Amino acid sequence: MNRRHVAAAAITLVCALTVLTAPVQAFAAPAPPSPPVTQPDTRSGSGSKTPKKSLEEVREEIDALYRKAGSATDAYNLAEEQAKKQSGEIVKLARAIVEGQSKIAELKSQAGAQAREQYRTGGLPPGAQLMLSDDPQLFLDGVSRVREGQQAAQGVLGELTRTQQDLETYTQDASTNWEKLEANRLKQAEAKKKINAQIAAAKKLEDQLEKKERARLLKLEQAAEYKLQTAWLSSGALKDINREASASGKKAVAFATEQIGKPYVWGAEGPRSYDCSGLTSQAWVAAGRPIPRTSQEQWRLLPHIAIKDMRPGDLIIYHGDASHVGMYIGDGAIIHAPRPGRNVTLAGAGSMQILGVVRPDK
């Protein structure tokens, strides 16, 4: 490679980071068309209306849309975390490239000084001239100086070669990380588009409801959760669950409890708003135990615990795709950030489909 371009490449990397690390502005994608609750049939003059969906069907459709948005949010959060990591790696490599370039310049200067000295002495270092002396002591001094000079020259050239090789490696690594960063940015943009589309579609369905229907919709949501929670409790799930929280778990529960009432915002991790995994990850950061950012990564990487063994502070992962998470606080309850339009709240631990339980401080 042309090493003269290395410094310019390093500066380009650092400058580009300023743009890449800036937040990407979100634009809501147009919502897919959805049938209204009641809508006149304009295709005939009869004034008839299309069949009206039941409120329960609307609730299920809205729930499905928010579930999809939650899954896309997890993908967005993961891509964001990976992009942050790649940005950090590029910054480190850019600094290493600049430092390597400076070191190469210094080593070249040393090598140049040695070459100029040889030129001034007719191609012979001072030690070699002493070797021509008839004085035995001067001869021995000359031998020693020649040996030292040779070792110094070899050391400079060897270090120069190693530094140039390191510089090439740093540049190649920076290029690889740059490509990964770009890929993660694309994943973020795609996930953001899906999130906005699903949320817009769900909001459109809700907006089509009358005020009384929206109130009934909330009651239907609560009734569905109550039904699942009752079935879970009736199964005897709480029979053996009586363990106390660890010291770290108590801190995590205390943090989560303080967030009750704050709004759900996808991609948020406090302090004013949270998504589901933003809440649980920040609670455990407050407890001194950083954990993965997303619910799917929490499920994949944290130790799994049997439901009968769970204790306050453990995380319950929900749905088959691990797209939701809540923190168990005891007595069959969780604290979680439910979905857009809702606030951090208490809920029954069995009010959603449980995938499993993980323990951050095992």
Side-chain angles (χ1 to χ4, degrees):
M1 60 176 289
N2 187 349
R3 296 183 180 85
R4 298 190 179 199
H5 294 104
V6 175
I11 294 171
T12 301
L13 287 171
V14 175
C15 294
L17 284 174
T18 305
V19 177
L20 288 171
T21 53
V24 181
Q25 185 177 1
F27 295 95
S34 55
V37 176
T38 57
Q39 180 68 39
D41 187 353
T42 57
R43 291 175 297 178
S44 66
S46 62
S48 62
K49 297 181 179 180
T50 56
K52 182 177 180 179
K53 289 184 177 181
S54 71
L55 202 55
E56 176 60 22
E57 289 175 324
V58 173
R59 184 197 70 79
E60 291 176 354
E61 188 172 349
I62 289 174
D63 183 61
L65 288 167
Y66 280 127
R67 284 271 309 279
K68 291 177 181 177
S71 183
T73 297
D74 228 35
Y76 174 89
N77 290 334
L78 180 59
E80 183 179 45
E81 286 299 294
Q82 292 173 336
K84 287 179 181 178
K85 180 180 179 181
Q86 300 310 140
S87 295
E89 288 297 322
I90 290 174
V91 168
K92 291 178 183 177
L93 289 167
R95 289 172 180 165
I97 288 171
V98 172
E99 290 173 1
Q101 185 65 27
S102 176
K103 188 174 181 180
I104 285 176
E106 181 182 347
L107 291 170
K108 285 183 176 179
S109 177
Q110 292 180 22
Q114 291 175 346
R116 287 191 297 273
E117 179 64 22
Q118 287 187 357
Y119 178 78
R120 284 195 298 268
T121 58
L124 291 173
Q129 293 177 339
L130 289 175
M131 290 174 65
L132 301 176
S133 172
D134 293 333
D135 187 322
Q137 185 59 47
L138 291 177
F139 176 81
L140 292 175
D141 289 343
V143 171
S144 177
R145 291 188 186 183
V146 168
R147 184 179 296 113
E148 290 174 358
Q150 289 174 338
Q151 290 175 345
Q154 290 173 355
V156 169
L157 293 176
E159 189 173 1
L160 179 60
T161 300
R162 288 192 299 273
T163 302
Q164 289 173 331
Q165 291 172 344
D166 288 343
L167 201 55
E168 291 179 3
T169 300
Y170 294 152
T171 304
Q172 291 170 359
D173 288 348
S175 177
T176 300
N177 279 284
W178 187 279
E179 291 173 0
K180 291 180 180 179
L181 177 62
E182 284 295 295
N184 285 320
R185 291 298 188 190
L186 290 175
K187 289 178 183 177
Q188 275 185 274
E190 182 62 27
K192 182 174 290 187
K193 182 179 179 181
K194 290 180 181 178
I195 294 165
N196 287 330
Q198 304 297 342
I199 292 176
K203 287 178 65 67
K204 184 176 181 180
L205 282 174
E206 289 190 77
D207 291 343
Q208 290 171 345
L209 299 174
E210 296 178 359
K211 185 176 180 180
K212 290 182 179 179
E213 288 179 317
R214 286 197 292 271
R216 285 179 56 212
L217 179 67
L218 178 58
K219 289 182 178 180
L220 283 175
E221 288 180 5
Q222 294 169 340
E225 292 175 358
Y226 178 78
K227 182 179 179 181
L228 288 171
Q229 174 73 354
T230 300
W232 184 67
L233 294 175
S234 298
S235 69
L238 282 182
K239 182 179 179 181
D240 298 320
I241 303 176
N242 57 4
R243 290 165 177 77
E244 292 187 3
S246 64
S248 297
K250 289 178 181 178
K251 292 179 182 178
V253 170
F255 178 92
T257 302
E258 291 174 357
Q259 313 314 311
I260 291 177
K262 294 183 179 180
Y264 177 106
V265 174
W266 67 265
E269 48 187 332
R272 295 183 178 84
S273 57
Y274 296 89
D275 62 21
C276 66
S277 58
L279 175 64
T280 55
S281 61
Q282 288 304 303
W284 274 100
V285 166
R289 292 291 189 97
I291 63 173
R293 167 66 176 86
T294 72
S295 59
Q296 292 176 348
E297 289 295 281
Q298 289 168 6
W299 173 244
R300 187 174 72 87
L301 297 175
L302 295 178
H304 290 203
I305 299 297
I307 290 178
K308 66 182 180 64
D309 294 328
M310 70 180 178
R311 66 191 186 194
D314 289 345
L315 306 181
I316 303 181
I317 310 297
Y318 293 97
H319 310 309
D321 59 356
S323 58
H324 192 70
V325 60
M327 178 177 290
Y328 185 66
I329 60 170
D331 298 323
I334 61 168
I335 293 176
H336 73 142
R339 66 166 176 81
R342 300 287 186 262
N343 297 329
V344 175
T345 187
L346 291 170
S351 60
M352 294 168 282
Q353 178 194 356
I354 295 177
L355 177 62
V357 180
V358 295
R359 178 165 296 166
D361 61 341
K362 183 176 179 180

